[in-house]
Every structure is written in structure tokens, then in C-alpha cells.
Amino acid sequence: MATASKVKKTVRIASGLKRVRQDVKLNAANTSLRSKFRTAVKSVLKAVATGDKAKASEAFKTAQSVIDSIADKRIFHKNKAARYKSRLSAKVKALSA
């Protein structure tokens, strides 16, 4: 796939310049939170893969708060967050069975 990047026009209006500055900050914050989310989910999955119930449940508690904060900030839809929590919870509970 060719990576032809689209050339953006420079903004000249003050409100447009401010919007661009805000977008850069928001993009950085959202990217950081998404990365934190992925790391939390991976840590739970890794703990489940090793079969360590205590470590998995501890990682799940941490992941739960991260997932909730991302849903509250509307980076992910609340239903997507609920789906992730539900699936991770099922995997952690399956360890005890």
C-alpha cells in the first residue's frame, strides 16, 4: 500500500491555530491512555496464560480501573469497555474452574 500522506493546509485564523494546538495535546493524551489500556489488557492475558490466579486477579483489578477511566473520557465507547471487562473477567474466573 502506498503511503501518500495528505498535505495539510496551514491555518491562518486564530481560532483555527488554537484548535490545532489543542488537537496536538489531546492526541498525545489519548495515545498515552490507549497505550496504557493495551498494556493493562496484555498483563491480564499474560497472567491468565501462565495460570497464576492471584496475579491474574490483581492485574484484572488494575485493568478494570484503566478501562473504566478510558470509557469515562470517551476514548472508547462504554459498551466496548464493558465487553473487554466481561471477557477478561471470564478468563480470570475460568482459571479457578
Side-chain angles (χ1 to χ4, degrees), residues 24-86:
V24 169
K25 280 185 180 178
L26 286 170
N27 187 20
N30 290 347
T31 302
S32 170
L33 285 169
R34 250 185 255 111
S35 174
K36 193 174 181 181
F37 163 79
R38 289 189 198 111
T39 305
V41 170
K42 282 180 190 174
S43 68
V44 174
L45 294 176
K46 206 177 283 185
V48 168
T50 59
D52 188 3
K53 173 122 173 83
K55 191 175 179 183
S57 60
E58 191 63 36
F60 177 67
K61 281 184 184 178
T62 307
Q64 231 176 346
S65 67
V66 170
I67 292 169
D68 284 336
S69 72
I70 283 195
D72 289 343
K73 292 177 175 127
R74 295 183 180 158
I75 294 170
F76 288 165
H77 194 274
K78 60 182 179 168
N79 291 355
K80 180 176 181 173
R83 185 173 65 240
Y84 265 95
K85 287 195 305 187
S86 174

